[in-house]
């Protein structure tokens, strides 16, 4: 039987690139821990019966509320990342991993890259 | 799966469609698990990188040789000039050029003849990377020249040449790049739709002050990024000419190209839609018989997502560039928001925009060249404008001007006190200088004496305009009037 405290949180490495780091204390790399089980609807109180494993949608909301310092509209729109921001999970496009529904695992690396400074 | 109520029946919720076709295995090698989805196609990292290189070379290489073939290698007729903005596309462009045409194998056995042997030299003898700093056109923005220099100097084969946007109003810079000297300096009354030209004696002026006067005289928010873009483009072209370059490469990716095509067409640039993708340019006034510069956008088949993934996997540092799309309601900003949103939800549509525009061609050709942007100008534009719209609140067709128009100025052409610049401009340039927003003008009060970029006046020298200012035969009555106090009275009167 596994120790419940080991699965209580998930450790992640978050990277920001393409100018996004300016919104997150000008820091490119962040290490954080998020709960392994989260409410199905972000913002609801935690309960034993109505939870889901932490996914990228939860992570995006979590970053907005805990790390983002300014200009929410440059990072998030309609419950997901703003158009023009790419997300890589362990060096793989999140579109291959189910986008916001990807369930985060301990040690995952999530990269947010902004493409909005043109070409 | 039923079509019932998703609230009560969990199974009735429609499955979300995947962003990729078929499987997660790479569609190219069919072996590795994919890392990225590009327009519904899946690529692994090992296949993605060469795919980008292939697309880049497919656009660029047919333009290198004069006859378009490469049977006997690449022999460009001049040097290379690369326009660098610090943005994502131009950063990727620099990396691709370096990697494809200037990379030196580290294994000495491979370098037969030594690293200086012509066999191992780059395709172009000299490669200049040109950056135009625009901070003086947008007060409050920072100067990024040194950050850009740090990025460019990582590539040993490139010479860095920084410019400033105020060079467009700098006579010393104009002389340095071999520009033809004009006999008179030129200002224009932007408040008058006919753009009456005001001759001025040539005197030294502060380029930054002249630039700010030009920008602040523009009538709308949309006009500012259009004008800045035009100035940057001409600065790059003139610099490429002065460095004996046969090619000017720009880092416009597919997404940026689609944005600029729609934005340009929205502002009346349909006649030059082909030139937005690729063009050949030479100065209107030039000496010698040098071949035209080819302006190529080798990333025009590569989307912004692909550029971002390339930059991330290659560890490239992107300086970034100022966003100056004319505010949230400017045409540029609205277009970009629309296209970027489209790319996320319907990625194939963005390439459709560029592909469709690439098939368009104007019905009539034109020999006329716009003095401001030096691109083909559609003939008969002013007559067409006059026929299709009410462009002045003094128009007799209006019962009364709208409430916010407090100064209704007559716009009749008989009031011209000098030659008009309007006939020498293309539709989008004329619109940039004269279009009025329905919310009122954003221009500063002093619009009746606006300086113009240094390349405009020399082009007028051969059109009889300067000669008209320089000397004009007086009427006999005027001559008599001017010397009347010295004339002896007639003995008969």
């Amino acid at each position: 039987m596994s120790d419940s405290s080991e699965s209580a949180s998930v450790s992640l490495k978050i990277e920001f690139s393409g100018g996004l780091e300016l919104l997150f204390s000008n820091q490119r790399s962040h290490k954080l821990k998020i709960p392994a089980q989260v409410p199905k609807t972000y913002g609801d109180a935690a309960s034993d019966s109505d939870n889901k494993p932490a996914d990228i949608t939860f992570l995006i909301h979590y970053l907005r509320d805990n790390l983002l310092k300014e200009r929410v509209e440059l990072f998030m729109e309609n419950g997901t990342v703003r158009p023009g921001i790419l997300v890589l999970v362990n060096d793989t496009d999140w579109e291959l991993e189910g986008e916001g529904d990807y369930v985060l695992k301990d040690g995952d690396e999530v990269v947010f890259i902004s493409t909005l400074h043109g070409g | 799966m039923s079509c019932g109520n998703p609230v009560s029946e969990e199974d009735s919720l429609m499955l979300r469609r995947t962003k990729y076709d078929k499987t997660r295995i790479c569609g190219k090698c069919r072996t590795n698990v994919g890392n990225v989805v590009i327009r519904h196609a899946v690529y692994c990292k090992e296949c993605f990188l060469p795919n980008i290189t292939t697309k880049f070379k497919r656009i660029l290489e047919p333009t290198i040789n004069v006859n378009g073939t490469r049977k006997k290698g690449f022999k460009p007729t001049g040097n290379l000039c690369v326009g660098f903005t610090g943005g994502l596309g131009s950063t990727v462009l620099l990396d691709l050029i370096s990697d494809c045409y200037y990379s030196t194998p580290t294994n000495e056995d491979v370098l037969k003849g030594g690293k200086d042997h012509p066999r191992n030299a780059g395709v172009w003898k000299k490669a200049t990377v040109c950056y135009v700093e625009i901070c003086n056109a947008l007060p409050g923005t920072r100067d990024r020249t040194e950050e850009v220099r740090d990025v460019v100097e990582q590539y040993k084969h490139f010479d860095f040449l920084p410019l400033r946007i105020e060079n467009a109003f700098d006579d010393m810079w104009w002389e340095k790049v071999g520009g033809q000297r004009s006999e008179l300096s030129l200002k224009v009354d932007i408040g008058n739709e006919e753009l009456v030209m005001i001759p001025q004696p040539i005197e030294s002026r502060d380029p930054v002050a002249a630039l700010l006067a030009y920008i602040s005289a523009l009538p709308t928010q949309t006009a500012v990024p259009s004008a800045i873009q035009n100035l940057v483009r001409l600065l790059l072209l003139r610099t490429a000419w002065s460095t004996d370059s046969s090619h000017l490469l720009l880092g416009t990716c597919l997404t940026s190209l689609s944005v600029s095509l729609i934005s340009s067409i929205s502002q009346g640039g349909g006649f030059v839609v082909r030139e937005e993708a690729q063009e050949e340019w030479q100065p209107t006034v030039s000496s010698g018989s040098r071949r035209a510069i080819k302006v190529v956008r080798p990333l025009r088949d590569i989307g912004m997502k692909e550029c971002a993934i390339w930059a991330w996997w290659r560890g490239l540092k992107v300086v970034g560039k100022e966003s100056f799309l004319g505010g949230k309601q400017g045409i540029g900003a609205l277009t970009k928001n629309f296209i970027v949103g489209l790319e996320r939800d319907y990625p194939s549509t963005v390439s459709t925009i560029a592909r469709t525009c690439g098939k368009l061609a104007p019905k009539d050709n034109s020999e006329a060249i716009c003095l401001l942007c030096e691109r083909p100008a559609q003939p008969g534009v002013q007559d067409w404008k006059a026929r299709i719209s009410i462009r002045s609140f003094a128009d007799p067709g209006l019962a009364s001007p709208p409430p916010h128009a407090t100064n209704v100025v007559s716009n009749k052409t008989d009031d011209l006190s000098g030659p008009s610049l309007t006939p020498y401009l293309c539709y989008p340039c004329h619109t940039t200088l004269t279009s009025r927003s329905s919310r009122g003008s954003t221009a500063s009060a002093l619009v009746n004496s606006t300086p113009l970029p240094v390349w405009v006046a020399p082009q007028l020298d051969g059109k009889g305009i300067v000669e008209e200012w320089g000397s004009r035969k007086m009427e006999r009555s005027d001559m008599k009037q001017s010397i009347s106090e010295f004339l002896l009275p007639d003995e008969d009167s």
Side-chain angles (χ1 to χ4, degrees):
Chain A
M1 185 178 288
S2 60
D3 187 349
S4 61
S5 65
E6 288 179 1
S7 61
S9 65
V10 172
S11 294
L12 303 170
K13 184 182 174 193
I14 310 295
E15 292 246 13
F16 298 104
S17 180
L20 267 185
E21 62 272 20
L22 297 172
L23 306 179
F24 293 89
S25 311
N26 208 11
Q27 192 178 328
R28 283 182 59 122
S29 193
H30 300 255
K31 285 190 175 162
L32 49 88
K33 283 187 180 178
I34 60 172
Q37 290 290 321
V38 298
K40 276 191 178 170
T41 304
Y42 186 85
D44 286 354
S47 72
D48 290 335
S49 58
D50 210 21
N51 285 349
K52 64 171 182 178
D55 55 15
I56 293 189
T57 298
F58 171 83
L59 175 65
I60 292 168
H61 286 83
Y62 181 89
L63 291 172
R64 179 198 64 188
D65 292 340
N66 295 282
L67 262 69
L68 186 64
K69 297 299 174 196
E70 55 180 322
R71 308 292 303 274
V72 175
E73 71 280 6
L74 295 183
F75 176 65
M76 211 171 145
E77 189 179 291
N78 295 331
T80 185
V81 288
R82 183 189 173 193
I85 295 180
L86 309 183
V87 185
L88 297 179
V89 181
N90 300 326
D91 225 24
T92 300
D93 192 345
W94 76 331
E95 291 180 3
L96 284 168
E97 305 284 15
E99 293 183 84
D101 296 334
Y102 170 80
V103 174
L104 293 161
K105 299 187 293 295
D106 203 52
D108 277 349
E109 179 178 298
V110 184
V111 181
F112 296 89
I113 306 171
S114 172
T115 64
L116 297 171
H117 41 211
Chain B
M1 185 171 62
S2 71
C3 297
N5 183 1
V7 176
S8 55
E9 300 173 32
E10 203 172 306
D11 289 345
S12 67
L13 196 62
M14 189 170 164
L15 290 173
R16 184 184 296 176
R17 187 177 166 184
T18 57
K19 291 276 183 79
Y20 54 93
D21 295 331
K22 299 176 186 173
T23 84
R24 290 180 51 185
I25 302 296
C26 173
K28 208 152 174 66
C29 65
R30 299 186 192 279
T31 308
N32 298 332
V33 175
N35 288 101
V36 64
V37 180
I38 303 295
R39 298 196 279 281
H40 304 287
V42 179
Y43 296 94
C44 64
K45 193 170 179 177
E46 287 73 25
C47 292
F48 172 81
L49 297 173
N51 184 48
I52 297 298
T53 308
T54 302
K55 286 188 191 179
F56 163 77
K57 287 182 175 179
R58 193 168 60 215
I59 300 290
L60 177 59
E61 288 182 355
T63 72
I64 295 180
N65 289 345
V66 170
N67 55 11
T69 63
R70 51 169 295 182
K71 284 185 181 171
K72 295 184 180 178
F74 295 122
K75 294 186 176 70
T77 56
N79 296 322
L80 175 66
C81 186
V82 182
F84 188 83
T85 63
L88 177 61
S90 50
T91 303
V92 170
L93 175 68
L94 215 58
D95 193 52
L96 279 163
I97 294 171
S98 174
D99 196 47
C100 294
Y101 304 112
Y102 291 94
S103 62
T104 309
T106 51
N107 185 351
E108 290 298 327
D109 291 337
V110 180
L111 277 180
K112 295 179 183 175
K115 70 172 181 166
D116 293 327
H117 192 279
R119 182 191 303 120
N120 301 316
V123 169
W124 290 270
K125 284 182 195 160
K126 185 178 168 203
T128 305
V129 176
C130 218
Y131 168 70
V132 182
E133 176 54 61
I134 63 168
C135 65
N136 281 334
L138 304 169
T141 56
R142 75 173 200 270
D143 190 325
R144 297 172 191 242
T145 306
E146 294 312 310
E147 292 170 69
V148 168
R149 185 193 300 274
D150 289 341
V151 168
V152 174
E153 286 182 350
Q154 291 174 16
Y155 301 97
K156 300 300 175 196
H157 296 280
F158 298 141
D159 297 329
F160 180 55
L161 179 55
L163 299 175
R164 304 192 72 83
I165 193 169
E166 56 266 28
N167 290 152
F169 298 87
D170 187 351
D171 296 312
M172 283 172 54
W173 171 84
W174 179 241
E175 207 171 309
K176 194 174 147 191
V177 296
Q180 185 168 338
R181 197 174 165 77
S182 176
E183 293 177 24
L184 289 168
S185 176
L186 194 60
K187 288 193 175 180
V188 71
D189 179 3
I190 284 189
N192 186 328
E193 197 180 87
E194 290 303 316
L195 299 172
V196 176
M197 290 186 279
I198 305 156
Q200 307 257 313
I202 295 210
E203 57 186 17
S204 64
R205 62 178 176 180
D206 177 17
V208 176
L211 167 71
L212 288 174
Y214 178 72
I215 297 290
S216 63
L218 295 172
T220 59
Q221 282 187 333
T222 294
V224 174
S226 299
I228 290 174
Q229 198 173 346
N230 194 41
L231 294 177
V232 168
R233 184 179 144 269
L234 265 298
L235 287 172
L236 290 176
L237 286 169
R238 291 285 172 175
T239 302
W241 186 260
S242 74
T243 55
D244 292 325
S245 298
S246 56
H247 291 77
L248 170 63
L249 303 189
L250 304 176
T252 315
C253 66
L254 173 64
T255 313
S256 297
L257 178 63
S258 300
V259 171
S260 70
L261 283 166
I262 299 293
S263 178
S264 167
I265 291 170
S266 304
Q267 297 173 65
F271 192 73
V272 292
V273 70
R274 283 182 306 180
E275 279 77 7
E276 280 290 330
Q278 189 162 318
E279 61 184 307
E280 290 196 17
W281 176 92
Q282 62 186 28
T284 317
V285 180
S286 67
S287 57
S289 58
R290 209 193 305 172
R291 199 175 291 276
I293 295 173
K294 290 183 184 176
V295 183
V296 186
R297 292 168 171 81
L299 303 186
R300 66 172 193 252
D301 274 356
I302 300 170
M304 200 169 276
K305 180 177 179 179
E306 293 161 271
C307 289
I309 299 288
W310 174 280
W312 177 254
W313 280 341
R314 298 271 294 184
L316 303 181
K317 179 176 183 248
V318 182
V319 174
K321 62 178 190 176
E322 278 311 323
S323 175
F324 56 99
L325 297 171
K328 286 185 183 174
Q329 296 304 313
I331 287 180
L334 293 171
T335 308
K336 185 170 183 179
N337 284 344
F338 169 67
I339 299 283
V340 170
L342 207 62
E343 188 168 38
R344 183 183 70 170
D345 299 329
Y346 306 100
S348 301
T349 54
V350 177
S351 61
T352 302
I353 292 171
R355 235 185 2 256
T356 303
C357 288
K359 296 176 189 171
L360 298 176
K363 200 165 61 170
D364 307 311
N365 285 329
S366 172
E367 296 296 323
I369 299 291
C370 172
L371 298 194
L372 203 53
C373 67
E374 298 194 20
R375 273 180 165 171
Q378 188 176 9
V381 163
Q382 305 312 321
D383 291 338
W384 181 70
K385 264 190 173 185
R387 284 198 304 271
I388 65 160
S389 58
I390 298 169
R391 294 168 300 132
S392 165
F393 295 138
D395 194 296
L398 272 181
S400 60
H404 68 265
T406 54
N407 296 319
V408 176
V409 177
S410 169
N411 214 12
K412 293 179 187 173
T413 55
D414 352 336
D415 295 342
L416 286 183
S417 54
S420 165
L421 184 62
T422 293
Y424 303 103
L425 297 182
C426 63
Y427 186 109
C429 283
H430 186 260
T431 303
T432 294
L433 296 182
T434 60
S435 177
R436 298 281 181 259
S437 165
S438 59
R439 298 192 190 92
S441 173
T442 59
S444 63
L446 298 172
V447 298
N448 57 359
S449 181
T450 305
L452 287 176
V454 290
W455 52 80
V456 177
Q459 295 178 75
L460 286 167
D461 286 351
K463 296 186 190 301
I465 306 294
V466 173
E467 288 79 10
E468 184 183 326
W469 285 327
S471 64
R472 192 178 61 201
K473 188 175 178 181
M474 286 178 84
E475 295 295 326
R476 199 172 174 80
S477 57
D478 290 337
M479 275 193 273
K480 191 170 181 182
Q481 178 67 30
S482 65
I483 58 170
S484 59
E485 63 179 299
F486 304 107
L487 290 175
L488 293 172
D490 287 338
E491 288 179 7
D492 297 335
S493 63

